[in-house]
Amino acid sequence: MNTPLSDSGSASGSLARHPGFQRFWGARVLASLSFQMLAVAMGWHIYALTKSAFALGLVGLAQFLPMFLLTLVVGHVADRYDRRRIAAVCQSIECAAALTFACGTFGGWLSAPIIYALAACVGAARAFESPAISSLLPGVVPRAKLPNATAWSTSATQTAQILGPALGGLLYGVGAGAAYLACTISFALAAVLSSNIRLHTKPASRAPVTLESVFSGIAFIRSQPVILGALSLDLFAVLFGGATALLPIFARDILHAGPLELGLLRSASAVGALTGTIWLAHFPLRRRPGLAMFGGVIVFGFATIAFGLSHNIVVSLIALAVLGASDVVSVVVRSSLVQLRTPNETLGRVSAVNSLFIGTSNQLGEFESGLTAGWWGAQPAVLVGGVATICVALVWMRLFPALRDTRSLEREPEPATAAAN
């Protein structure tokens, strides 16, 4: 890595005192916290209503479809308008959706079709929010601090993924309406923080809308084999290996637990991820980040298999923690590659495609998990997914040697340029 981050303690300290980054980090924590609480509540609620693994998968599909359909639009919006306002508006919409969940619960009219419709609204809002937030960070902190800021920004998400599911499960145990109200408040606070983030650079200028500019994010990624390899590796690994959508089934039918234990299971992977994030923030990946990413994906696959075989909640929690720690390597490498190798004027469109890959692996992965669990059962579906993840990593090492052999998160010089220098 070319970025001078050897003094990680001072870098972390300066970020902690950076007012723009403080608000950015706080907004990201609160928004992620809200979404994680909402995911637990929706999952347990829909499974309680339907007792169907397929119905659980449909929640993920309902969130994925708007993201897929809006990908080209949201990237251009993120590059043409103030990314802070976009994030604040989206979080306000999510706040309204959570409030509707609460009203429907208290009023007794919240049915499965309404849950799917509200999940689609949340998915549409997150489709705009994700690239806006992701592409905002280079304007919040100087470029020299970007890899460190990316790691700490990832820790914001992981912190929320620890606290959110556990808190959501606890509140759902008190009452579903209480969980939805907590989501409403947290989304509202996130919107306030997002609208008040300070930037050290001006927002990107509004480039004219052309067909070429709309597709420029996809064209850029296709021209960068390292970024394309990282995005597609993460896509297929999590698509096949994601067991999150099936956690209500594992908690209720296999581990014989309740909503609080479901929250702990969803938190376990984030505990491992946060541990890995803090480690990477203090000890950045200076050499062979691509190889580290492949190793993390393979460990992710083995941890998924261990979780699928487990009938003990302690073993399941440990397996999920290892799964989260290994996954964060992929997250940090992929995010850093996108941030450091993409020009700021197209970062929103590239981040939108990145968000589509993430949404495909997460939300569509939930649908895939629900579908295969409906066919084969929850445990066989998870085991097959873990094996498929390992196979994907091994195949991608052959398909994308540029990613496997890359030695820096920064853009590397072409061989001819390097020889001339």
Side-chain angles (χ1 to χ4, degrees):
M1 182 185 300
N2 297 330
T3 308
L5 288 174
S6 57
D7 188 4
S8 59
S10 61
S12 302
S14 61
L15 285 174
R17 294 187 297 270
H18 193 291
F21 185 75
Q22 288 175 349
R23 293 171 186 173
F24 174 88
W25 197 89
R28 191 149 197 181
V29 166
L30 288 169
S32 298
L33 183 76
S34 307
F35 181 74
Q36 293 301 322
M37 288 192 292
L38 189 61
V40 168
M42 283 193 301
W44 192 271
H45 207 145
I46 199 72
Y47 192 61
L49 288 174
T50 64
K51 303 295 188 299
S52 168
F54 183 70
L56 278 173
L58 285 178
V59 175
L61 182 63
Q63 294 177 73
F64 166 75
L65 286 177
M67 183 178 297
F68 174 75
L69 295 174
L70 294 170
T71 296
L72 297 177
V73 175
V74 300
H76 224 289
V77 169
D79 282 334
R80 285 178 56 83
Y81 299 99
D82 191 328
R83 293 161 182 169
R84 297 167 296 181
R85 293 184 180 178
I86 296 170
V89 169
C90 292
Q91 288 155 0
S92 298
I93 293 172
E94 291 162 342
C95 174
L99 182 59
T100 305
F101 270 112
C103 293
T105 300
F106 290 128
W109 47 264
L110 191 63
S111 62
I114 294 176
I115 291 177
Y116 296 141
L118 290 173
C121 290
V122 172
R126 286 179 63 82
F128 284 91
E129 179 188 0
S130 294
I133 286 288
S134 298
S135 55
L136 185 60
L137 189 55
V140 176
V141 300
R143 184 177 180 86
K145 297 178 182 177
L146 192 56
N148 192 269
T150 299
W152 284 111
S153 174
T154 303
S155 77
T157 304
Q158 305 304 340
T159 300
Q161 288 177 354
I162 294 170
L163 300 177
L167 184 58
L170 179 63
L171 290 173
Y172 194 95
V174 174
Y180 294 132
L181 280 178
C183 294
T184 302
I185 296 170
S186 187
F187 274 130
L189 292 174
V192 172
L193 285 175
S194 293
S195 62
N196 287 283
I197 293 173
R198 295 182 184 177
L199 301 181
H200 79 92
T201 58
K202 294 181 179 180
S205 59
R206 298 185 181 184
V209 179
T210 64
L211 189 62
E212 181 181 359
S213 68
V214 168
F215 286 92
S216 61
I218 296 175
F220 178 81
I221 290 173
R222 288 185 61 187
S223 70
Q224 302 292 319
V226 173
I227 295 179
L228 177 60
L231 294 182
S232 57
L233 173 63
D234 187 75
L235 162 67
F236 286 105
V238 180
L239 177 65
F240 293 128
T244 304
L246 304 180
L247 286 181
I249 299 176
F250 275 84
R252 187 165 183 162
D253 299 338
I254 297 173
L255 301 173
H256 308 292
L260 177 58
E261 287 79 10
L262 170 61
L264 293 176
L265 287 170
R266 288 188 69 103
S267 297
S269 61
V271 171
L274 180 60
T275 303
T277 300
I278 294 173
W279 175 269
L280 290 175
H282 286 88
F283 303 98
L285 293 170
R286 299 179 183 282
R287 298 179 181 177
R288 308 298 294 272
L291 199 59
M293 184 177 185
F294 281 112
V297 171
I298 291 172
V299 173
F300 179 92
F302 279 112
T304 300
I305 293 171
F307 173 75
L309 292 172
S310 172
H311 287 266
N312 180 280
I313 192 166
V314 175
V315 174
S316 297
L317 289 170
I318 294 172
L320 288 172
V322 174
L323 182 150
S326 57
D327 182 52
V328 80
V329 176
S330 173
V331 171
V332 170
V333 171
R334 184 195 69 234
S335 300
S336 297
L337 287 172
V338 170
Q339 299 281 359
L340 291 170
R341 298 191 179 206
T342 306
N344 186 57
E345 60 271 16
T346 60
L347 187 55
R349 278 158 284 182
V350 173
S351 295
V353 179
N354 182 28
S355 297
L356 175 64
F357 276 68
I358 296 171
T360 301
S361 60
N362 291 332
Q363 277 75 50
L364 192 59
E366 290 182 9
F367 176 69
E368 180 270 338
S369 297
L371 191 63
T372 53
W375 291 338
W376 306 331
Q379 286 186 295
V382 171
L383 293 174
V384 170
V387 172
T389 297
I390 297 171
C391 292
V392 165
L394 296 176
V395 171
W396 255 239
M397 290 182 76
R398 297 294 301 273
L399 291 178
F400 294 93
L403 174 61
R404 182 192 64 210
D405 299 332
T406 188
R407 297 181 179 276
S408 172
L409 293 171
E410 293 272 8
R411 183 188 296 273
E412 298 175 13
E414 298 293 334
T417 304
N421 294 336

